Structures are given as structure tokens and as C-alpha cells.
């Protein structure tokens, strides 16, 4: 007969077994659990907020000046109107300079946050009051200095996105993101507008304007890879104290004008957008592999789409004001989970000239209140008002106040509007709680000592500059022919560039950037007197394009320019302007057309420190060598000097198409035909393996026979640049079973991380021949499977790529990868294997069973069960810590593998045991205390 004790023990064992044998959740499940606490906090705080406090959270505002004292307009907006955040901008004179720019910015941010804190203390005595809610302090810092970075002094000079994209290595994107996250956090920023995830798949070479170097490149897959690495870097560098908002959603790469000047129209359907423009945004939302790669928000662009739902004659409103269009996009499965977990939609600046032109094309009256209302109802959560100015209002502050007061009244009068506000504010609060788990001022204010670390990351930027440098023309095989030697000691060099004058603020001192002078200084420092004496400083001269224009138009007053050009052995042109209306390009063309005597028989070098595709084939043909460096910060002048003196051979690859040299990015990222695609059996993408030809071992047969399903997988398929082909590349597995049933079968699949895999059911005993094609790569390793009742053996043939018909092949017997190898590979990647899960589950089960048996006489049935459950939970939580890839776990697994897994699980069970026993003793002491004398 089963007693109560036996029944309880049996139930306990079954419960432990079920818990232990449940596979650990994925990283996505872990994300859901982590996000739950922020949601609860946001919901609770929202219930305490007044209507005015809720409405205020909707707005990001801009303001003039670098102070936030009690008499300022921004102080009033913070303390009286409860705004959600501010955006600091150089054009609004929010920064000083060129000296002490970061320190002054940090003090301004401290004053802004403190103003909100002090205002909240007046209601702190009321237990029902919402209390202090920190401000979002936002900035756009795109890199490449002026004009797209706001802080121009005191920070590490970072390159623009295209320079990072030209490395084709996401690790560099992560490094640059980490530097930016660390430095902006030190100043006190907690909101970053960037990166741009635009895809520049169609470059503007003859008319219009585009985003140029403000994008990672022209391939959707690689833009996504770079984007998610950059986002992860910002999160890690800031220790998750900066919310990252990817810009230009849902993509404006094909637009022909700048977003703040006029609302552009792109002729794309939603299906087309999913293939190109939206693909990188999928990478940082629904398809992100790690939580750190997930963006906190998306900046919704003011852009229109023609043919959005298939009807080419229909054009949407700007998607930032079109609820139906935005709803269609956000219902895509790649966005639904992200949005449900509090993903924030942020409006692009509502105060731009582009918005004003759309809502008030005839300049009859711009109603800013209706613009803000339309943006909210369209689906934007956080409204970036910028310098919005309604008709007849004296300043932006007045317009902002009237918008907020209008929203307050609508909130009270319109239940539908109220519900929309509450939903948006909840998302805003979720993001703020992700940044600051507790809204305490000391946890929010930046520390002065953190400023000491600013500007100390130049070495990493130097490496990116070297990896980004790309030879555009001629090809690498011809460069030694046209440039057999670098400049010699007696050579004369003339360097020509534009000159850029800018200010940190309107009252700040002028700063000058003269690329020709920067390159000349770099050459002198690296190769001039005292540094190798390869060149004489007196034989180098730097001029501006304006000097050349005066020479062409007047011919007087610039005699030295003409003399030095005429006697030069080398003429170096530096290009930094973007867009199609380039004075640099025009003067370059005029010099060759009007004064060919000054350029004849000279080495002509071009350095594009901007996008490299603005020149046509005729222009490029005039260069002896044309290089793309993509960025004009100081590190890239050193690289240009090293390239010029042939110390550095640029090995980068263009991340965008350049029609002038016939470089097509689609072709470049397609499979390289000059490769033998590796092929293996017995491994799928679920069990990763080392890429390449499997190790030969004729002693191990293939344990499959007729009717079995075999997994087949390629190695990494490379593109023309030597990188893994983009995800989604079509691959065909060809299976010749003529000796078995006389058929030739094809299985079509797509790559993931450069690898394609499939499965195949062995039809019968006999021989199978397996190979794979990824057009235009048609040559692969050939596997021959000899299947018998006892199993089979795989023989590998390595074809030689040749134009001749008869190719010699050498057979190699190939073994099926072993489970031990798979475990090792998993551990090297910081992941747990199936073996780790099995060992941990058995260990937890045995330990719980042993404790339950040993403690049966010492503890009561109740406390025996409680303590055993605590042990099981402790072990499972420890295992899930490793399986979820939480901070520190990856390095543990990489170093120790299964041994570390066992150790961590044992420590978890020990912790559970301690908790269980502690509860037992606390309960026993409580009972003794309650016993009456």
C-alpha cells in the first residue's frame, strides 16, 4: 500500500525530473523574462501619474543656449510641463567650444536632470505622487566630425558609417559603437539617434542627393550585420545606460534628397521594402541573436512610398503620419514581438522644413498642434518636436507650450486619445526603466571623473582606418605597373583639397579643417626630415580648390600655384564634399579640360574621403590611382600618407556600387566562381561544425542505411571579396542516385551565415553522389556515399578548378563528425551542447534524489520536499544562466566546457540547498518563539 510519504516522494521525484529535463530557454525567452520587471514598473508608475505628467512624457524638445537655470525656458518646460526629454544640438548653441566642450555639456545635463529632481521633491510627501522621472537626453553623433556630429571637440574622433562598412568586419562596428557608447555615457547622454540602417543599393551618380557616407553600405545583409554589431557595442560601452534608436526607419536609401529639406518619395511596395530597406531593421529587432543587439527604438522617417500596397498609382502620406501604412509594417512578424515588449517608435524631427512644406505648401498657416497630434495617432510614441514653430508664434517655446496644453485638453475630452497617450507613455517608461532600474538621482547623474577617459581610443580608430582603405582603380594586379615606386626624395608634390570652416556654436571661435594641409603634415611627420628623410618638406605644397578656380578664371595673383603645379611630379586631389553639386568635382574636371599642360605626364592620385561613386569612368581614368578612404578625420590622413608611400597596401573592398569602375555590389557579394565549396554529411546547422573539408578517417563508417535521413551541409560559401555570402543566397544540392534508382535530384535552399544545409532520405541501398552549386560558383567538393545494409562510407573528391574539360580528382575517405567534436565546437563558441544539458539534468536528478533519501530522517516531509525543490531550482537556474549567454557565461563555457557547466550547476544546487535550509531554520526559530511558556 502506498503511504502518504511515499506518494509525496514519488510526486517530488516526478516534478524534479520534469523541471530538469526541460531544455533551457533561448536567448529570446530570457529577454521576455528580463523585460517583465520594466513592464510592471512602468504600469505601476503610469497609474500614479497625473494627466499632465503623462502628456508631458510624450515630448522631446530642443532649446537654445547652454544653460538651464531657473529663469530659462527649458527649466520651465521641465518643472511645469513635465517633458519627457531633450535633444542637444550644436545649431541651438547647446555646446560651447572649442575648449571644455564635454565638461560644459556634462554640467548642462546635470542641471537638466537636477531641475526635474528638485521639482519632483515638492510632491514627494504625497505617497500617491508619481515622483521623479528622469529625462531622456538625446544626441545625434554620426561621426566624421562636422557637419553630422554635434560635439566636435574633446571626444575620440570616430569615422562615419561607410568607413566602418568598408572593413566588412562587424567586430569593428562593435568597437566603434562601444567607444561612442562609453564616451556619451560619461557626459550624461542616455539616448542616441543612430545608427542609420539605410541601404544604399542605388547610388545617385548624376542627379539629386543621397545619404552618402552616412550609411554602412549597399547590401541589406551586411548593413544589418554592421548595424546590430554597432548597437551591441553602444550598449556594452555604455553598460546599457544609453537607449539606441536606429534612424531613418523604414528606410530611405533610394531617396534623392536630404531628409530635413524635403519629404522624398520612394517607388517601392511593401514586399520590395521587406527584401531591401526593412531587412537591416529586422536584424536589430525580431532577428537579433542577442539582447544587446536589439535596438530600443526606431526613428520613423518622413518619407512617402509610391505603390506601397501594390497600386503604383497610389502614394502614401509620409509614413510618420500614416497610421495605416505604419500599422502594416509593424504587423510584420519580425516587428511584432519587439513592439509588444515595449519597442519605441520615435518621430523624426517634426520641426523640419520638410514637414512644414508638406503640411503648409502654400505658406498660409502651419498648425503645429495638428502636426504633433497626427504624428501621435499615426503610431509614434515619442514626439521629437525639434525647433518646431507654428505660424504667428514668437518662438519655439511658445509653440511647444501650446502643443502640450492642447494635448492636455484632448486627453481629458477624448477617451480614444487618452488611450493612445497612455499606451505611448507606457512604452516610454519601459525604456527609461531599462536604462535606470531605480529613478534615483545619484544613479542618473554622470560623474566628473568619467571625463578623464574621453578621447583615449585613437588606436582602435587607426585600425579601422587601415582596414577601410580601398583601391578603387586600377585593379590590385595593375597598381605595381602604374605606380612602381612611391614619391622620391627630389620629387615635387602638390596636394589640393577644399577648406572647411566651422564653429561649435555661433559665438565660439572658428575652427578650420584643411585636408591638403593635414595630409602634408602627415607625410612630413612620417617620411620627412628626421623620420626617414624620404621627402623634402620644401618640395610639398598645399592649395585649395578655390586657388585652382582663381587660376582658371583669372590667371593672375596665383603665379606660385601655376608654377608649383607645372613643376610637380605628383598632384594629389582630396575629395570631401557629398552630394551631386560638388565644387571640388567641377574644378577637378575644369583643370584637366582647360589646363591640360599642368596635368600632363604627372602622377595623379585621388583620395575620396567621402563616398567614392560620384565620378564617372572618364573622370576616374584621369587618375593614376584612385583610392577610397570614406572619412576625413585625422586617422585617415595618416593612412593616406602610408598608402602614398606604399608602406600600406589597401586591402579593403567597396561597400557600395561604383558605376565608374564597373563595380556592382550585387555581383561582388554573389558566390565567387573560383572556389571549391566544402561539403559534409552528418551535420546540420543545429549542430555547428568547423568549416572546411572534414578530416579523413577511413576507419569510421557512415551509420546510415536505406530509409534513413541524412543531414547535408556546405562549408562557408565565399563571395568575390572573400566574405561569407549574404543570408538568403540560393544554393542547390545535387544528388545523383543513378546507381540506386536512376534519378538526379535537386534540393534548393538558402544560406544562413554563409552556410547552406538540407536533409535527404536515402532511397535504397547503392551509391549516391552529392555536390552543390551556388550560382555562379558551380564547383564543390564531391561526396560519394556507398550505402549497404551494414552502413556506409563517404568518399570525398576534391575537384581542381580549371578551364579544361578533364579535371583530375583525388578521392579522400571522409568520416562523419563525432559528437565530441560537436561539443568542442559549441564550447569554443561559448554555447552549451546537448551533452551539457544531458549531464546537468542527470546530475541535478541524482543529487536531488540523494538528498531526499539522506534527509528523510532529519527533516520532516514538508521541509524535505521544499529543500529538494530548492536544490533542483538552484541547479536549473545556474544551467539557464550559462545557456542564455548572460554576462560572463560565454567566457566560462569557452574556457571550461562541460567541466565548468558541472561546477556552475553544483554551485547553483549548493545555493539552493542553503536557501532551503535557511528557510527551515528560520521557520523552526519562529515556532520556538511562538511557543507559550
Amino acid at each position: 500500500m502506498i503511504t502518504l510519504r511515499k506518494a509525496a516522494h514519488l510526486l517530488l521525484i516526478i516534478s524534479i525530473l520534469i523541471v530538469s529535463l526541460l531544455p533551457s530557454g533561448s536567448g529570446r525567452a530570457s529577454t521576455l523574462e528580463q523585460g517583465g520587471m520594466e513592464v510592471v514598473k512602468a504600469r505601476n508608475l503610469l497609474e500614479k501619474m497625473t494627466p499632465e505628467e503623462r502628456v508631458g512624457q510624450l515630448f522631446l524638445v530642443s532649446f537654445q543656449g547652454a544653460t538651464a537655470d531657473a529663469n530659462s525656458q527649458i527649466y520651465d518646460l521641465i518643472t511645469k510641463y513635465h517633458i519627457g526629454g531633450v535633444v542637444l544640438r550644436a545649431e541651438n548653441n547647446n555646446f560651447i567650444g572649442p575648449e571644455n566642450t564635454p565638461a560644459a555639456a556634462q554640467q548642462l545635463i546635470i542641471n537638466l536632470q537636477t531641475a526635474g529632481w528638485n521639482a519632483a521633491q515638492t510632491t514627494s510627501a504625497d505617497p500617491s505622487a508619481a515622483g521623479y522621472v528622469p529625462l531622456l537626453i538625446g544626441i545625434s553623433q554620426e561621426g566624421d566630425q562636422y557637419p553630422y556630429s554635434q560635439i566636435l571637440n574633446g571626444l575620440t574622433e570616430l569615422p562615419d558609417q561607410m568607413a566602418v562598412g568598408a572593413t566588412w568586419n562587424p567586430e569593428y562596428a562593435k568597437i566603434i559603437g562601444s567607444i561612442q557608447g562609453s564616451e556619451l555615457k560619461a557626459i550624461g547622454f542616455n539616448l542616441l539617434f543612430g545608427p542609420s540602417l539605410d541601404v544604399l543599393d542605388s547610388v545617385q551618380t548624376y542627379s539629386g542627393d543621397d545619404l552618402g557616407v552616412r550609411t554602412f553600405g549597399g547590401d541589406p545583409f551586411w548593413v544589418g550585420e554592421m548595424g546590430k554589431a554597432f548597437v551591441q557595442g553602444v550598449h556594452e560601452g555604455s553598460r546599457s545606460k544609453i537607449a539606441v534608436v536606429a534612424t531613418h526607419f523604414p528606410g530611405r536609401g533610394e531617396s534623392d534628397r536630404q531628409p530635413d529639406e524635403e519629404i522624398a518619395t520612394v517607388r517601392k511596395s511593401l514586399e520590395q521594402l521587406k527584401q531591401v530597406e526593412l531587412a537591416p531593421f529586422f536584424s536589430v529587432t525580431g532577428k537579433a541573436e542577442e539582447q544587446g543587439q536589439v535596438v530600443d527604438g526606431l526613428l520613423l522617417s518622413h518619407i512617402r512610398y509610391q505603390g506601397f500596397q501594390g497600386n503604383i498609382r497610389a502614394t502614401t502620406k509620409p509614413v510618420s503620419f500614416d497610421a495605416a501604412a505604419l500599422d502594416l509594417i509593424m504587423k510584420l512578424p519580425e516587428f511584432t514581438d519587439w513592439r509588444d515588449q515595449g519597442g519605441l517608435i520615435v518621430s523624426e524631427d517634426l520641426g523640419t522644413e520638410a514637414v512644414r512644406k508638406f503640411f503648409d505648401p502654400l505658406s498660409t498657416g502651419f498648425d503645429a498642434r495638428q502636426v504633433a497630434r497626427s504624428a501621435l495617432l499615426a503610431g509614434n510614441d515619442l514626439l521629437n518636436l525639434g525647433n518646431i514653430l507654428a505660424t504667428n508664434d514668437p518662438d519655439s517655446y511658445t509653440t511647444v507650450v501650446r502643443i502640450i496644453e492642447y494635448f492636455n485638453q484632448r486627453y481629458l475630452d477624448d477617451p480614444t486619445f487618452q488611450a493612445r497617450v497612455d499606451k505611448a507613455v507606457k512604452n516610454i517608461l519601459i525604456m527609461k526603466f531599462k536604462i535606470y532600474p531605480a529613478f534615483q538621482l545619484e544613479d542618473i547623474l554622470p560623474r566628473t571623473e568619467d571625463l578623464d577617459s574621453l578621447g583615449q581610443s585613437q588606436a582602435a580608430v587607426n585600425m579601422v582606418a587601415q582596414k577601410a582603405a580601398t583601391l578603387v582603380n586600377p585593379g590590385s594586379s595593375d597598381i605595381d605597373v602604374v605606380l612602381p615606386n612611391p614619391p622620391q626624395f627630389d620629387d615635387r608634390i602638390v596636394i589640393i583639397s577644399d577648406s572647411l570652416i566651422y564653429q561649435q556654436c555661433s559665438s565660439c571661435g572658428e575652427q578650420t579643417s584643411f585636408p591638403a594641409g593635414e595630409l602634408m603634415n602627415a607625410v612630413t611627420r612620417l617620411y620627412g626630415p628626421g623620420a626617414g628623410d624620404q621627402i623634402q618638406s620644401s618640395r610639398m605644397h598645399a592649395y585649395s580648390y578655390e586657388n585652382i578656380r582663381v587660376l582658371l578664371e583669372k590667371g593672375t595673383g596665383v603665379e606660385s600655384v601655376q608654377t608649383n603645379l607645372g613643376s610637380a611630379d605628383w598632384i594629389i586631389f582630396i575629395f570631401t564634399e557629398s552630394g551631386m553639386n560638388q565644387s571640388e568635382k567641377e574644378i577637378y574636371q575644369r583643370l584637366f579640360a582647360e589646363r591640360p599642360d599642368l596635368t600632363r605626364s604627372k602622377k595623379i592620385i585621388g583620395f575620396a574621403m567621402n563616398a567614392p561613386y560620384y565620378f564617372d569612368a572618364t573622370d576616374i581614368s584621369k587618375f593614376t590611382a584612385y583610392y577610397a578612404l570614406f572619412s576625413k578625420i585625422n586617422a585617415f590622413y595618416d593612412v593616406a600618407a602610408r598608402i602614398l608611400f606604399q608602406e600600406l597596401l589597401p586591402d579593403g573592398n567597396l561597400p557600395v556600387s561604383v558605376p565608374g569602375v564597373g563595380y556592382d555590389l550585387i555581383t561582388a557579394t554573389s558566390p565567387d566562381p573560383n572556389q571549391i565549396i566544402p561539403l559534409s554529411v552528418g551535420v546540420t546547422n543545429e549542430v555547428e561544425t568547423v568549416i572546411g573539408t572534414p578530416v579523413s578517417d577511413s576507419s569510421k563508417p557512415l551509420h546510415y542505411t536505406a530509409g534513413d535521413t541524412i543531414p547535408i551541409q556546405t562549408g562557408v560559401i565565399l563571395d568575390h571579396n572573400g566574405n561569407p555570402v549574404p543570408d538568403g543566397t540560393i544554393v542547390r544540392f545535387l544528388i545523383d542516385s543513378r546507381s540506386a534508382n536512376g534519378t538526379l535530384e535537386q534540393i534548393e535552399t538558402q544560406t544562413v551565415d554563409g552556410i547552406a544545409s538540407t536533409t535527404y532520405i536515402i532511397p535504397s541501398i547503392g551509391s549516391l553522389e552529392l555536390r552543390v552549386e551556388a550560382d555562379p560558383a558551380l564547383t564543390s567538393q564531391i561526396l560519394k556515399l556507398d550505402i549497404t545494409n551494414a552502413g556506409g562510407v563517404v568518399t570525398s573528391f576534391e575537384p581542381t578548378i580549371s578551364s579544361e574539360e578533364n579535371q583530375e580528382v583525388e578521392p579522400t575517405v571522409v568520416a562523419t563528425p563525432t559528437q565530441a567534436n560537436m561539443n568542442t565546437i559549441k564550447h569554443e563558441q561559448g554555447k552549451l551542447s546537448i551533452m551539457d544539458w544531458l549531464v546537468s539534468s542527470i546530475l541535478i536528478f541524482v543529487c536531488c534524489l540523494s538528498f531526499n533519501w539522506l534527509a528523510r530522517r532529519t527533516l520532516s516531509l514538508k521541509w524535505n520536499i521544499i529543500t529538494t525543490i530548492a536544490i533542483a531550482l538552484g541547479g536549473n537556474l545556474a544551467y539557464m544562466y550559462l545557456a542564455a549567454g548572460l554576462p560572463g557565461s560565454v567566457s566560462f563555457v569557452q574556457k571550461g566546457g562541460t567541466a565548468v557547466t558541472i561546477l556552475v550547476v553544483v554551485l547553483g544546487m549548493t545555493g539552493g540547498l542553503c536557501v532551503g535550509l535557511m528557510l527551515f531554520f528560520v521557520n523552526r526559530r519562529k515556532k520556538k518563539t511562538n511557543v507559550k511558556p
Side-chain angles (χ1 to χ4, degrees):
M1 181 176 180
I2 299 178
T3 64
L4 178 61
R5 175 181 288 270
K6 290 182 179 179
H9 279 203
L10 182 61
L11 180 61
L12 171 63
I13 293 171
I14 293 173
S15 300
I16 294 172
L17 183 63
I18 292 173
V19 172
S20 296
L21 294 181
L22 282 174
S24 63
S26 65
R28 198 67 182 165
S30 176
T31 300
L32 288 169
E33 294 173 6
Q34 294 173 0
M37 187 57 68
E38 288 86 8
V39 173
V40 172
K41 289 180 180 178
R43 186 186 301 118
N44 293 339
L45 179 58
L46 183 65
E47 292 175 355
K48 295 182 179 181
M49 298 175 77
T50 65
E52 292 79 12
E53 289 172 332
R54 298 183 187 194
V55 166
Q57 285 297 309
L58 296 172
F59 300 105
L60 276 176
V61 305
S62 298
F63 64 97
Q64 297 291 328
T67 60
D69 55 48
N71 297 320
S72 64
Q73 293 176 340
I74 189 59
Y75 183 91
D76 191 52
L77 291 174
I78 293 171
T79 59
K80 185 176 178 181
Y81 293 97
H82 317 288
I83 57 170
V86 301
V87 179
L88 301 188
R89 302 163 66 172
E91 67 180 270
N92 288 338
N93 297 315
N94 295 142
F95 305 105
I96 67 168
E99 292 81 22
N100 301 318
T101 304
Q106 186 191 69
Q107 188 57 54
L108 173 60
I109 291 172
I110 290 174
N111 294 341
L112 291 168
Q113 295 285 18
T114 303
W117 172 268
N118 291 338
Q121 303 315 300
T122 60
T123 60
S124 60
D126 183 359
S128 64
Y132 170 63
V133 179
L135 292 168
L136 293 172
I137 311 292
I139 189 172
S140 173
Q141 190 80 357
E142 296 186 27
D144 205 34
Q145 294 300 91
Y146 181 85
Y148 298 117
S149 286
Q150 303 302 312
I151 299 178
L152 305 176
N153 305 283
L155 303 181
T156 301
E157 288 189 349
L158 298 180
D160 52 57
Q161 289 186 205
M162 189 171 286
V164 178
T167 69
W168 294 85
N169 188 341
E171 190 61 29
Y172 289 120
K174 183 178 177 181
I175 290 171
I176 296 300
S178 179
I179 295 170
Q180 186 165 82
S182 174
E183 296 195 338
L184 293 180
K185 171 186 175 292
I187 297 174
F189 290 99
N190 55 24
L191 182 67
L192 174 64
F193 295 110
S196 162
L197 295 182
D198 283 299
V199 179
L200 205 59
D201 62 327
S202 177
V203 298
Q204 303 291 334
T205 57
Y206 297 107
S207 62
D209 201 357
D210 61 12
L211 295 170
V213 293
R214 301 169 69 187
T215 70
F216 284 119
D219 183 86
F221 169 76
W222 282 104
V223 171
E225 292 296 293
M226 292 292 178
K228 68 185 182 184
F230 184 91
V231 170
Q232 185 174 16
V234 174
H235 281 145
E236 292 182 1
S238 68
R239 299 183 181 180
S240 299
K241 296 302 182 185
I242 290 183
V244 181
V245 178
T247 60
H248 300 160
F249 177 75
R252 57 180 309 117
E254 281 198 1
S255 63
D256 58 356
R257 59 209 68 201
Q258 293 295 335
D260 52 351
E261 297 172 357
E262 184 179 355
I263 291 176
T265 299
V266 173
R267 187 170 178 173
K268 287 271 183 99
S269 68
L270 179 57
E271 287 303 313
Q272 291 173 311
L273 289 175
K274 286 163 61 177
Q275 298 300 315
V276 180
E277 280 83 355
L278 286 173
F281 293 99
F282 294 158
S283 297
V284 295
T285 52
K287 290 186 177 180
E289 292 111 358
E290 300 180 32
Q291 173 62 9
Q293 298 173 345
V294 178
V295 292
D296 303 279
L298 298 173
L299 189 73
L300 191 58
S301 280
H302 306 314
I303 191 167
R304 310 173 73 182
Y305 293 101
Q306 186 177 18
F308 182 73
Q309 296 187 57
N311 182 1
I312 195 62
R313 303 185 189 281
T315 302
T316 68
K317 292 186 291 185
V319 69
S320 49
F321 301 103
D322 191 329
L326 181 60
D327 188 58
L328 280 176
I329 295 172
M330 299 315 297
K331 283 183 177 178
L332 294 174
E334 292 84 356
F335 293 130
T336 51
D337 284 349
W338 175 83
R339 188 68 167 140
D340 291 343
Q341 293 171 44
L344 202 68
I345 302 295
V346 184
S347 78
E348 201 166 39
D349 188 342
L350 298 178
T352 63
E353 186 64 23
V355 174
R356 179 178 288 274
K357 287 180 180 178
F358 178 78
F359 279 93
D360 183 25
L362 302 178
S363 299
T364 56
F366 180 68
D367 189 344
R369 298 176 302 175
Q370 295 303 320
V371 171
R373 174 181 173 275
S374 298
L376 177 71
L377 296 181
N380 294 278
D381 300 313
L382 189 60
L383 305 181
N384 181 11
L385 298 181
N387 294 325
I388 195 167
L389 181 65
T391 302
N392 298 325
D393 281 350
D395 53 31
S396 180
Y397 165 78
T398 303
T399 299
V400 170
V401 169
R402 289 179 175 174
I403 290 173
I404 295 175
E405 290 176 343
Y406 170 73
F407 270 52
N408 286 336
Q409 190 60 48
R410 287 299 304 264
Y411 186 91
L412 298 176
D413 296 342
D414 186 345
T416 303
F417 187 82
Q418 180 183 122
R420 175 69 193 102
V421 169
D422 288 348
K423 182 178 180 180
V425 173
K426 179 184 174 183
N427 288 338
I428 294 168
L429 294 177
I430 288 173
M431 187 172 78
K432 290 187 175 184
F433 275 117
K434 287 180 180 178
I435 303 172
Y436 307 115
F439 290 171
Q440 297 298 319
L441 188 62
E442 59 270 19
D443 298 330
I444 292 165
L445 296 183
R447 302 179 303 175
T448 304
E449 56 267 28
D450 289 344
L451 296 177
D452 296 337
S453 63
L454 301 183
Q456 303 300 313
S457 301
Q458 198 59 47
V461 177
N462 293 342
M463 182 58 68
V464 172
Q466 293 180 29
K467 295 296 183 182
T470 302
L471 175 62
V472 180
N473 194 66
S476 57
S477 60
D478 298 324
I479 189 66
D480 290 337
V481 176
V482 297
L483 281 179
N485 298 302
Q488 301 300 298
F489 182 75
D490 292 327
D491 283 355
R492 297 180 180 275
I493 301 175
V494 170
I495 308 174
I496 303 170
S497 77
D498 213 345
S499 182
L500 182 65
I501 299 175
Y502 57 91
Q503 296 171 276
Q504 180 66 78
C505 65
S506 59
S507 61
C508 298
E510 287 187 348
Q511 297 175 253
T512 302
S513 173
F514 185 34
E518 296 288 349
L519 179 56
M520 190 169 71
N521 292 337
V523 169
T524 302
R525 186 176 68 256
L526 295 171
Y527 304 102
D533 296 318
Q534 293 179 245
I535 197 73
Q536 299 179 60
S537 301
S538 60
R539 289 176 174 264
M540 288 193 297
H541 303 278
Y543 298 112
S544 69
Y545 283 102
E546 177 62 19
N547 296 142
I548 307 302
R549 186 191 65 79
V550 172
L551 171 66
L552 295 174
E553 294 179 359
K554 298 181 179 180
T556 59
V558 287
E559 288 78 7
S560 62
V561 177
Q562 178 169 315
T563 299
N564 289 323
L565 272 176
S567 62
D569 300 287
W570 299 72
I571 302 178
I572 300 171
F573 293 91
I574 298 177
F575 306 99
T576 58
E577 291 181 341
S578 60
M580 294 312 303
N581 300 317
Q582 300 181 72
S583 61
E584 297 174 341
K585 177 181 176 181
E586 177 189 355
I587 294 172
Y588 167 81
Q589 293 170 331
R590 288 183 59 191
L591 179 61
F592 280 89
E594 299 174 22
R595 294 298 305 270
D597 58 303
L598 297 178
T599 60
R600 190 179 298 118
S601 301
K602 303 181 188 300
K603 297 290 191 296
I604 308 296
I605 307 298
F607 286 116
M609 292 180 159
N610 57 358
Y613 48 73
Y614 295 119
F615 290 105
D616 60 23
T618 302
D619 294 328
I620 294 176
S621 69
K622 296 180 173 67
F623 291 116
T624 308
Y626 180 41
Y627 299 93
L629 272 71
F630 307 101
S631 179
K632 61 182 183 296
I633 64 175
N634 286 329
F636 287 77
Y637 297 116
D638 279 6
V639 169
R642 296 181 191 278
I643 290 173
L644 181 64
F645 281 81
Q646 299 182 8
E647 180 185 339
L648 176 67
L649 180 64
D651 59 355
N653 293 295
L654 293 165
V656 290
S657 296
V658 179
V661 294
Y663 179 83
D664 178 66
L665 190 63
I666 294 177
T667 300
T669 54
S670 66
D672 182 5
N674 298 315
Q675 68 178 309
I676 298 174
I677 303 174
L679 189 60
S680 61
V681 297
V683 180
T684 68
N685 271 342
E686 296 178 359
V687 183
E688 299 175 43
T689 185
V690 177
I691 304 307
T693 305
V695 179
S696 300
D697 187 351
S698 59
S699 64
K700 294 184 179 180
L702 184 71
H703 297 291
Y704 294 103
T705 187
D708 289 344
T709 300
I710 57 171
I712 313 170
Q713 178 174 289
T714 70
V716 172
I717 303 173
L718 302 177
D719 66 14
H720 288 69
N721 291 331
N723 301 308
V725 294
D727 285 3
T729 299
I730 301 299
V731 175
R732 293 183 303 277
F733 289 90
L734 306 178
I735 303 164
D736 186 351
S737 57
R738 283 189 290 262
S739 62
N741 60 12
T743 61
L744 179 64
E745 301 180 55
Q746 292 190 24
I747 302 176
E748 189 171 283
T749 185
Q750 299 180 4
T751 58
V752 176
D753 296 331
I755 299 171
S757 61
T758 189
T759 58
Y760 178 73
I761 299 176
I762 299 174
S764 61
I765 294 173
S767 296
L768 299 174
E769 187 175 276
L770 309 177
R771 57 190 177 91
V772 67
E773 294 180 349
D775 192 51
L778 304 179
T779 306
S780 77
Q781 184 178 6
I782 300 172
L783 301 182
K784 183 179 180 182
L785 282 67
D786 294 312
I787 307 298
T788 66
N789 287 326
V793 174
V794 183
T795 305
S796 171
F797 293 87
E798 296 288 347
T800 301
I801 298 177
S802 173
S803 58
E804 299 181 11
E805 294 182 3
N806 297 323
Q807 297 180 349
E808 295 183 1
V809 295
E810 296 183 2
T812 304
V813 180
V814 178
T816 306
T818 64
Q819 182 63 47
N821 289 337
M822 297 174 187
N823 293 338
T824 301
I825 293 159
K826 280 284 189 181
H827 294 158
E828 288 175 352
Q829 297 171 343
K831 301 177 182 178
L832 297 184
S833 66
I834 295 176
M835 183 61 67
D836 295 321
W837 164 71
L838 182 60
V839 169
S840 299
S841 298
I842 293 173
L843 179 63
I844 294 171
F845 178 73
V846 170
C847 289
C848 289
L849 192 63
S850 300
F851 175 83
N852 183 263
W853 185 80
L854 293 172
R856 70 189 188 284
R857 300 186 185 277
T858 307
L859 300 176
S860 65
L861 174 62
K862 171 185 174 183
W863 284 104
N864 193 334
I865 293 175
I866 291 174
T867 307
T868 306
I869 290 176
I871 294 171
L873 289 176
N876 278 283
L877 289 174
Y879 177 83
M880 284 189 285
Y881 162 77
L882 296 177
L886 297 178
S889 64
V890 173
S891 60
F892 286 160
V893 174
Q894 288 173 334
K895 292 176 181 178
T898 302
V900 165
T901 305
I902 293 173
L903 177 60
V904 171
V905 170
V906 170
L907 290 175
M909 289 191 293
T910 303
L913 173 63
C914 293
V915 171
L917 294 178
M918 182 182 68
L919 292 174
F920 167 73
F921 286 115
V922 168
N923 180 73
R924 189 170 68 173
R925 184 173 181 179
K926 183 178 179 181
K927 285 184 176 180
K928 289 181 178 179
T929 304
N930 293 336
V931 174
K932 295 181 180 180

